[in-house]
Amino acid sequence: MNRVIVFVLTLVLILSLTACGSSTQPEGGNESDAGKTETYNYTWSACNSSSGYYALNVAVSDVINQYVDNVNVTVMESGGGADNLKNIATGQAQFGQTSVPDIYLSQNALGQFEDLQPNENVRLMLSLIPNMYYFIVSENSGINSIEDLEGAVFSPGNLSSSTERLCYTVLSALDITPDWFYASTSEAVTAMKDRRIVGFCKSGSSVTMDSSVTDVATSVDVKVLSFTKEQANKIMGMYPYYTFDTVDGGVYNQEEDIYTLASYYSYGVSKDVPEDVVYEIVKALVENLDYLSQSYAGISDFDPVEITAKYTSGYMHPGLIKYLEEQGYTVKEDQIPPEMK
């Protein structure tokens, strides 16, 4: 009997010590976890897969996954810039394709975002190239100027994209109201091939034709419309955060140069992504521009560090600020986010 009692007491003591050991750990975590590095799994909100930018987003994720330790990025198809900013705001994505000045407008609930709450979660991560907004129409549509879009069946851009909202804004400023054809980029491409619409609005590079327009051009002769200086001044008078620039007409196989809206193709990031992670991502992207240019020609013609430092607006991520300062740039005071003040 005594042996039984001793055995039971011993068993109780062992179980008690085990329980105490599992609930009592050194401050800062279990010693067995010391030295382990956290792995981050993120979602990258891109654009419609038919867009020429989609391949670039995939290439960016390839660079991150290969060169940034302990970070895994998965690309998600989306409606484009405005949709991506919304995804970052709600936490559905941590990164996303967007443009300047959309980050600033989203952060402050201005312009095309005035009906939404200020996006306090998004920060600028990097701007790569000038981003132009093209108003593409078919040659035989009879549309020869921006004002000719009045009453014409025209797609404003990919659903929920920054392009779509911008198209509404600038044409409304000129009192021009097309017969809107709401569609994704791929649907607009098909509709234009089938001659059901006269054209569509699409953002793209200043040095190479967008793949969606190349696709249309296999079936329909296309041209890109230009704004007049008077139209541009009227729009910028109402919306001073927009700008215009000239694109060589040869990019779209036409003799006349193209004068149209311009911004900068950029990437937004959640402020919750750690500073060191964003720093390493920015560094990896800048150092692998040649690889990125294989997916989207023309990137290597521009300096994303200079573009980001000099021509952007809106709060920057601390990781980006660290990288820019290492490169000798001084960040504008109004781009330093609240978390750094």
Side-chain angles (χ1 to χ4, degrees), residues 68-311:
V68 182
D69 292 339
N70 307 304
V71 175
N72 297 311
V73 171
T74 301
V75 176
M76 174 179 73
E77 187 176 4
S78 75
D83 197 24
N84 296 338
L85 290 169
K86 190 181 304 181
N87 289 339
I88 293 175
T90 59
Q92 295 181 62
Q94 291 72 46
F95 301 88
Q97 168 189 308
T98 183
S99 63
V100 173
D102 281 353
I103 288 180
Y104 173 83
L105 297 176
S106 175
Q107 288 172 344
N108 294 279
L110 297 173
Q112 56 193 350
F113 301 97
E114 63 184 357
D115 296 329
L116 305 174
Q117 292 297 315
N119 189 341
E120 298 178 353
N121 199 37
V122 70
R123 300 288 181 262
L124 174 66
M125 187 176 78
L126 190 66
S127 293
L128 290 178
I129 51 177
N131 190 50
M132 314 303 295
Y133 293 90
Y134 297 108
F135 289 71
I136 301 117
V137 297
S138 59
E139 282 276 8
N140 62 0
S141 64
I143 306 296
N144 297 303
S145 64
I146 294 294
E147 54 264 33
D148 287 344
L149 291 173
E150 174 70 34
V153 184
F154 186 81
S155 174
N158 201 36
L159 291 169
S160 300
S161 68
S162 297
T163 301
E164 180 187 47
R165 288 173 175 260
L166 179 143
C167 189
Y168 296 149
T169 300
V170 299
L171 292 188
S172 176
L174 299 176
D175 297 319
I176 297 171
T177 308
D179 180 2
W180 295 118
F181 182 84
Y182 305 103
S184 67
T185 300
S186 58
E187 290 168 339
V189 167
T190 300
M192 195 168 173
K193 286 181 175 181
D194 295 342
R195 280 73 170 176
R196 288 182 285 122
I197 63 175
V198 301
F200 63 98
C201 187
K202 181 68 178 68
S203 62
S205 165
S206 62
V207 295
T208 184
M209 185 185 296
D210 189 81
S211 61
S212 62
V213 184
T214 303
D215 190 359
V216 171
T218 61
S219 302
V220 178
D221 291 333
V222 300
K223 62 182 175 182
V224 183
L225 302 176
S226 283
F227 287 81
T228 65
K229 296 289 184 179
E230 292 74 19
Q231 289 171 333
N233 289 335
K234 182 175 182 179
I235 292 168
M236 289 187 290
M238 297 174 67
Y239 307 104
Y241 35 78
Y242 288 143
T243 187
F244 284 74
D245 206 346
T246 301
V247 176
D248 183 351
V251 173
Y252 281 84
N253 302 318
Q254 60 188 52
E255 293 183 3
E256 307 82 11
D257 287 342
I258 303 160
Y259 187 62
T260 193
L261 281 151
S263 66
Y264 287 95
Y265 175 89
S266 305
Y267 294 132
V269 59
S270 168
K271 66 180 179 62
D272 295 329
V273 178
E275 176 181 328
D276 60 330
V277 171
V278 172
Y279 170 85
E280 293 296 336
I281 288 175
V282 172
K283 184 173 184 290
L285 295 180
V286 171
E287 292 178 353
N288 288 277
L289 291 179
D290 287 345
Y291 176 77
L292 298 180
S293 68
Q294 295 174 26
S295 298
Y296 203 90
I299 287 181
S300 57
D301 296 333
F302 299 96
D303 181 354
V305 180
E306 181 178 14
I307 288 174
T308 305
K310 293 184 176 181
Y311 304 110

